[in-house]
Amino acid sequence: MKLKTTFFQKAFLILLGIFLSLFLIEAGLRLGGFTLLAVQEHRNRDAIKKGGAYHILCLGESTTQGQWPPFLEAAINRSGAGIQFTVIDEGMAGTNTGLILSRVESYLNKYHPDMVVAMMGVNDHGAPHLPAETPSASKPELFVKSFKTYKLARLLFHMAFKTNRWALPPKNTHAQPPPQPARHEIVPDAENPGVKKLKKELELNPENGKAYFELGRLYWEQGKFQQAEMHTKKALQINPGNDETYLQLGWLYQEQGKFRQAEIYIKKALKLNPANNKEAYHELGWLYLKQRKFKQAEIYIKKALLVYHGIDHVSGAEGVYLQFGELYREQGKILTADIYTKRALKQINPGNSRARYRTEGLYRKRGQFHQAEESYYRKANLLYISGYNPLTANHYHALKTILDKRKIRLVCVQYPMHNVGPLKNIFAEQADDIVFVDNEKIFREAVKKEGYGAYFLDRIDADFGHCKRKGNKLLGENIARVILREVFHKKFQRNKAGAGGV
């Protein structure tokens, strides 16, 4: 006699199966993360036990952790330099330059390295990764978001449906450098003449609201948010009716992902001075766009565009058109995004390399690789003046300052396929004692010959991703080659077996 299963029993069994599956996935992800860190720590301890005379500490994100450092050690120890090198891998998946910097002192105390090799910045604000979520005060929501299963599901959804990041370019396609923010000169606080001047002004006149405002702006540009907030709020106390101060606080909170506070202050600025509303509308558009609140973003971007209507020559309208392009691109409306981005390029400023690169990226998403390369990339490349996120640049400066105090050599590595110029631009005239590793030419030639898929597993950015074994070997050996040449004046010796010694 067969037992009949009721609907509720079936539903219970299905839900139980789903729960057990999620539990096993969560346990597997947590165990995997713990195991990866344990293996990395074990390798680092073994490396120190070897007693190598020269210690090299590697810093970075998931493109470093367990990736190219072993190949670097194998390659550099083949050099015959008469030195035993020990390479320590302190890359960490999902981290950013701020977190890396916060751990540097402990790494230096632990390993006492002679050299630090840094390849970092791809996870910083503004990079093409998983968009930030709106901070939540809801305890149940925070509880759900704490699960690694949730984070994995969100990442997979974003990669599959929002970015098309799993699609590898055709074998003979040349990936190009992505758009980057304009370069900012970052000067350490102790040497910043602007900060010194403003502090002197405040000593003479403690009620100088403008000086507090400007000091807040300088600290913000350096990524020192706590000091920036403190001085900007002081300016607001002195002059509570200044809409620009409210707007600056809004920018500051938006940069930190504090979207609710940013919204309050930007709207307050708009209320205080409705006539001067271009920047406020523009910033509210970005604020909602970052939270993927597309309807609200569109409302404020349209309001910003109405202000600029008929005055396209005014600086700033170009940014509104680019903002529209970004809005529609994020919603997958590539044709509409293309129209607005090209309008920014054609009608506002034909020399804007960012707009040209954005257009090139839109063509790529539509699969028109030939048109992207021929029509826009070649022209944009001639105008390409790029830099790093100001926060990333500031963290690179801070890292160098820490290492200089301990007389530790810094090696800055550019990501595969990217030009090393923007990385050098961070340091400008202070770059004489820094070793820079350019991975653009060597990877482009390799990808052109064997195809993107031979060297990369996926796409983090428009033109590179996590390396396969072959890519990590190429990366590690190139870093070894540059270090040997620039620091030890030795020639790199390639492994004849081609196995990389790992």
Side-chain angles (χ1 to χ4, degrees):
M1 180 179 176
K2 292 184 179 180
L3 294 174
K4 290 186 177 180
T5 306
T6 66
F7 170 79
F8 293 105
Q9 288 174 325
K10 288 179 181 179
F12 173 77
L13 290 172
I14 291 170
L15 291 174
L16 180 63
I18 293 171
F19 173 78
L20 290 174
S21 298
L22 292 174
F23 175 80
L24 290 173
I25 293 171
E26 181 71 21
L29 288 171
R30 291 185 180 273
L31 181 61
F34 174 78
T35 304
L36 183 62
L37 289 174
V39 169
Q40 184 179 11
E41 183 64 21
H42 177 72
R43 285 177 177 172
N44 288 336
R45 283 200 303 267
D46 282 352
I48 295 298
K49 286 179 182 178
K50 290 178 184 177
Y54 198 95
H55 292 179
I56 300 175
L57 172 64
C58 300
L59 303 176
E61 308 96 354
S62 58
T63 52
T64 295
Q65 185 181 25
Q67 302 296 308
W68 51 266
F71 292 97
L72 167 61
E73 183 175 74
I76 203 166
N77 276 317
R78 291 198 305 267
S79 64
I83 303 172
Q84 180 64 35
F85 294 92
T86 296
V87 175
I88 300 135
D89 177 8
E90 278 296 349
M92 182 175 290
T95 192
N96 55 43
T97 57
L99 292 173
I100 291 171
L101 191 64
S102 69
R103 296 185 176 101
V104 165
E105 294 282 5
S106 64
Y107 294 152
L108 300 183
N109 293 332
K110 184 177 181 180
Y111 300 117
H112 305 287
D114 302 283
M115 175 183 287
V116 169
V117 179
M119 186 175 80
M120 60 187 194
V122 76
N123 285 347
D124 285 1
H125 178 77
H129 273 286
L130 198 60
E133 290 189 295
T134 307
S136 172
S138 167
K139 288 184 178 180
E141 189 175 345
L142 288 172
F143 176 72
V144 171
K145 289 182 177 181
S146 70
F147 286 103
K148 292 186 180 295
T149 310
Y150 166 80
K151 294 172 184 176
L152 175 64
R154 184 169 174 255
L155 175 64
L156 294 176
F157 177 83
H158 181 74
M159 291 178 71
F161 300 105
K162 301 296 182 183
T163 66
N164 198 31
R165 196 169 293 153
W166 283 330
L168 301 183
K171 187 175 180 179
N172 295 322
T173 299
H174 305 281
Q176 310 300 348
Q180 304 229 12
R183 174 188 163 197
H184 288 245
E185 287 288 342
I186 305 294
V187 184
D189 184 17
E191 302 173 5
N192 193 310
V195 171
K196 286 184 176 181
K197 181 183 176 182
L198 289 167
K199 284 184 175 179
K200 285 182 180 179
E201 288 182 15
L202 287 170
E203 287 176 6
L204 296 171
N205 180 11
E207 295 301 310
N208 188 338
K210 185 177 179 182
Y212 277 112
F213 176 85
E214 290 298 326
L215 198 53
R217 182 183 59 80
L218 283 176
Y219 280 127
W220 171 44
E221 288 178 353
Q222 294 176 34
K224 298 177 180 178
F225 292 135
Q226 190 172 358
Q227 289 133 300
E229 182 179 354
M230 179 179 70
H231 287 88
T232 307
K233 282 188 173 180
K234 183 66 178 177
L236 199 59
Q237 288 176 7
I238 296 169
N239 187 0
N242 191 322
D243 61 297
E244 291 184 2
T245 310
Y246 279 100
L247 193 57
Q248 181 162 294
L249 275 169
W251 291 337
L252 179 62
Y253 286 126
Q254 186 178 168
E255 192 73 20
Q256 298 175 83
K258 299 177 180 179
F259 298 132
R260 290 179 181 175
Q261 289 143 293
E263 183 179 10
I264 290 168
Y265 280 99
I266 296 172
K267 285 187 174 180
K268 181 67 175 178
L270 191 60
K271 186 177 180 180
L272 284 170
N273 190 0
N276 186 24
N277 53 22
K278 297 189 292 296
E279 289 187 11
Y281 285 137
H282 190 53
E283 289 305 317
L284 282 170
W286 281 123
L287 179 67
Y288 290 123
L289 186 54
K290 285 178 181 179
Q291 298 174 78
R292 303 186 69 77
K293 296 180 178 179
F294 298 129
K295 288 184 179 179
Q296 288 134 299
E298 187 171 15
I299 289 169
Y300 283 101
I301 298 171
K302 282 182 176 178
K303 287 182 178 180
L305 194 59
L306 284 172
V307 176
Y308 284 109
H309 183 69
I311 50 170
D312 285 354
H313 63 281
V314 176
S315 175
E318 154 188 357
V320 179
Y321 284 115
L322 285 174
Q323 198 173 26
F324 259 122
E326 188 72 14
L327 171 69
Y328 293 121
R329 185 184 70 84
E330 284 295 316
Q331 297 177 79
K333 301 174 182 178
I334 306 302
L335 287 171
T336 309
D338 191 2
I339 291 168
Y340 278 99
T341 307
K342 286 173 71 177
R343 187 171 181 184
L345 172 67
K346 185 178 179 181
Q347 296 186 9
I348 309 299
N349 181 3
N352 186 313
S353 59
R354 181 184 175 190
R356 290 187 182 276
Y357 277 111
R358 175 62 68 196
T359 307
E360 183 264 341
L362 291 166
Y363 276 123
R364 288 187 176 278
K365 291 199 74 170
R366 288 161 55 186
Q368 299 174 3
F369 295 101
H370 178 74
Q371 187 174 4
E373 181 177 349
E374 295 298 327
S375 181
Y376 286 92
Y377 171 69
R378 294 185 185 279
K379 295 176 184 177
N381 193 45
L382 297 173
L383 301 162
Y384 186 47
I385 303 171
S386 60
Y388 269 68
N389 182 316
L391 295 180
T392 306
N394 185 63
H395 291 151
Y396 262 110
H397 273 281
L399 175 62
K400 187 178 185 302
T401 300
I402 292 169
L403 298 182
D404 283 349
K405 288 179 181 178
R406 301 197 186 207
K407 297 181 179 179
I408 299 171
R409 194 71 180 267
L410 174 61
V411 177
C412 293
V413 180
Q414 181 58 288
Y415 290 100
M417 309 290 282
H418 281 212
N419 188 283
V420 77
L423 192 53
K424 288 183 177 179
N425 285 345
I426 288 177
F427 296 97
E429 293 81 14
Q430 303 172 348
D432 292 343
D433 60 339
I434 301 173
V435 176
F436 292 97
V437 181
D438 188 350
N439 287 298
E440 182 183 32
K441 183 179 179 182
I442 192 170
F443 267 89
R444 287 189 184 282
E445 288 177 350
V447 167
K448 183 178 181 180
K449 184 178 179 181
E450 299 183 64
Y452 184 93
Y455 292 89
F456 297 100
L457 286 167
D458 55 14
R459 284 192 295 143
I460 296 174
D461 206 342
D463 55 357
F464 85 97
H466 294 95
C467 287
K468 290 184 176 179
R469 178 184 174 87
K470 199 168 187 176
N472 280 316
K473 179 174 180 289
L474 182 63
L475 182 55
E477 288 186 349
N478 192 44
I479 296 169
R481 179 185 293 107
V482 176
I483 290 173
L484 288 168
R485 183 183 69 233
E486 299 294 329
V487 180
F488 298 97
H489 311 291
K490 295 284 184 179
K491 288 186 178 180
F492 173 73
Q493 295 183 19
R494 186 176 295 279
N495 189 342
K496 292 181 180 179
V502 179

